[in-house]
Amino acid sequence: MYLFLILFLSACATRPQSSPVNTASVVNKPAAANTGLQLSAQLTHFETPIEGVTDGIRVENALPESPSGIAGIKPGDYIIGERSPQAVLDKIKLLEVGSALKLKILSGVTLKDVVIKIGKRSLNQGNFQYSSAPNLWKVPTQSTYLEKKVSALADKDLQEKFTEISSKGDQLRPLALRFIQENPLAIHESAQSLLKRFQACKKDMSCLRELSLFKTAPLKKLKLKGHSAEAHLRYITQVLKEAHKIHALAFKKLKISEKNYLEENIDELSNRFVESVYLHDDIFAGRKNRFYELTQILDKVEVAKFYQSLFFLAQHFDESYFARLKKDYLKKHFPFKNKSSEGLIVFAGSEDNDHSALAKEKTAMIVDVGGDDLYRDNTGIIVDMGGNDRYESSLPWTLGGAKMGTSLFYDFEGNDTYNCSLHCLGASFLGASIFSDLKGDDTYIAQAYSQGSSFAGVSLFIDGEGNDKYQSLGLSQGVGIAGGYGILVDFDGNDSYKSLGMRPSGYGDVGQYESWSQGVGIGLRFFNSGGVGFIYDKKGKDSFEAGTFSQGGGYAFGLGGLFNDGVDDDIYKGMRYTQGFSAHSAVGIFIEAGGNDRYESISVVGEGMAWDLSLTLFEDKSGNDTYQTGAHCLGVASHNSYAFFLDHNGMDTYKGAELPPSQSIGNEYHGGQSLGYFLDSGGQNDHYEKFKNNSCIKRVGLQLICDE
């Protein structure tokens, strides 16, 4: 397995930069040789009981199957006796593939000599190959829309870089991401294909089938035999048992000790991720090593099995089944509490019920046929068929949250209020969850991991209709992490989405916070590939407001998108990396169907921006739109990336950009060029502060700005 060497210096150590890079501090091209080492930016000074050892270069990562991993080097070790990280890199540059590199390593309090056999460099880790693209995408048989527009900017070297990263990686890397990376100039067609899938969704569990996240074998269908309470109990128990069997298959490649290690440590991992998504930069070596071990185990998990277990539950516990259950219940008045091998199965009537006490018992399913009910810290499958209900929780993994399990949550109608902490309202970690509220003006409030959020699992959040309010601090509203699929679908209503951030921005922007929400796919950088995160709003006059890293973007081999399919006047407010962005070999998509929309990126970097071997598409199809942006927005690509900004039809206004549209910041990371394309089409009189209307300019490199 070929692995890569990157020396991360201070300008790009933990996150993408939005300002020009000091080329004196960045390695222009990776070395031809490879050790698999990833090093800190500078020397670290410390005290040890070993005489003469007072500083060293911290090893940020050393992948197990890389030359350095084979030699016994681990994350958290220190290279001793070298004057700087650059000095180590300079040594490697002089070595040929197959030769040896001798280093002195401090591991804990043990000083040892190691010998690393030099391997061949690759732009990416791994050599995973896939035989066919997912059925969401097909290779166009003719020239694509963007190929026709930017044919004069074709660059073979840039295309080859994307072909290489698409063919390699860990098992968690989404096939959809690989396919789009392999065909970057077909991203417009790929996005339209995915949009059609969302458009075909109905206000029920068929949406799961339409999205076709994975190719799965046909699943057997169990039958309900009879109308009695006993018949329903047998049916529910059988379905739950079968779903658990399917779910367990996701861990079949793991040793018992590895699964136990996951169970013991995923709470710490998820909590730390709320504090910082940059796990590789953890200053506590012991915790960082635990996370590293966890990520290696995660790569063995088959996320598709979570999807299968969820699909199995959804096809048995659908709206038609619960309509029959309600009819039978009202005729026969089933017992309230019923024991089963899977836990309590509870049937409640149309009076106002308080289900809080059930939180203290192992509850497999609660079915409530109506009334204004109260739920507190409840777990298991929850089905409420009517009433203005209150759902409250201060505990994680409740109210539609799945931890290494499968969860369903249905509320059929009523103006409901949801208020919870972490991992709730359609969230999963190594599991699968569906959350569905079909009618009513609802309010959803959570801290993090909510409203269609999944960490190495599958989560689908559906809201049928009503003027809804979504609120969270972060990691919510259509977020997929580390091979997870997190999707939020809202069909109708004038909705408000807010996710203003969990912690101060790492860029020093005063008053700005990182939220990682509203259609974002996130990877555990240097550890695991990202997930797939999408938010789809079918119609209504909507407002979206979020912090840094939000509103249709991907990070670290992640795929994220925001689709607004309505033609009302919408408002988008973001901070940095927002409204169509991608960074570090990721893909971001943002599509707005129409209306006189307003876009604000309060800081910089947004509206179709790609950074470091990444690909972004921003498209607004119609309307008199207003863009209030900072620097590095509107089709800006840097460090071997593709960025496409498309606005069709309407008299548009562009304000505040420090740089003209579609201007590359630099390509120092890997050498070569980036392709940035800005197009405002439709023939209307648009307003620019720093660009002439109805003109087309080719800038230095692969940068094209056109107003047609």
Side-chain angles (χ1 to χ4, degrees), residues 16-27:
Q17 305 294 305
S18 61
S19 56
V21 179
N22 178 3
T23 57
S25 65
V26 178
V27 180

Side-chain angles (χ1 to χ4, degrees), residues 4-6 35-39 59 61-62 68 73 79 103 116:
F4 70 112
L5 167 69
I6 300 178
T35 64
L37 282 173
Q38 297 164 358
L39 306 178
V59 176
N61 203 359
S68 59
I73 300 176
I79 299 175
L103 294 174
I116 303 173

Side-chain angles (χ1 to χ4, degrees), residues 133 185 357 370 526 692:
L185 294 182
F526 309 133
K692 186 178 179 182

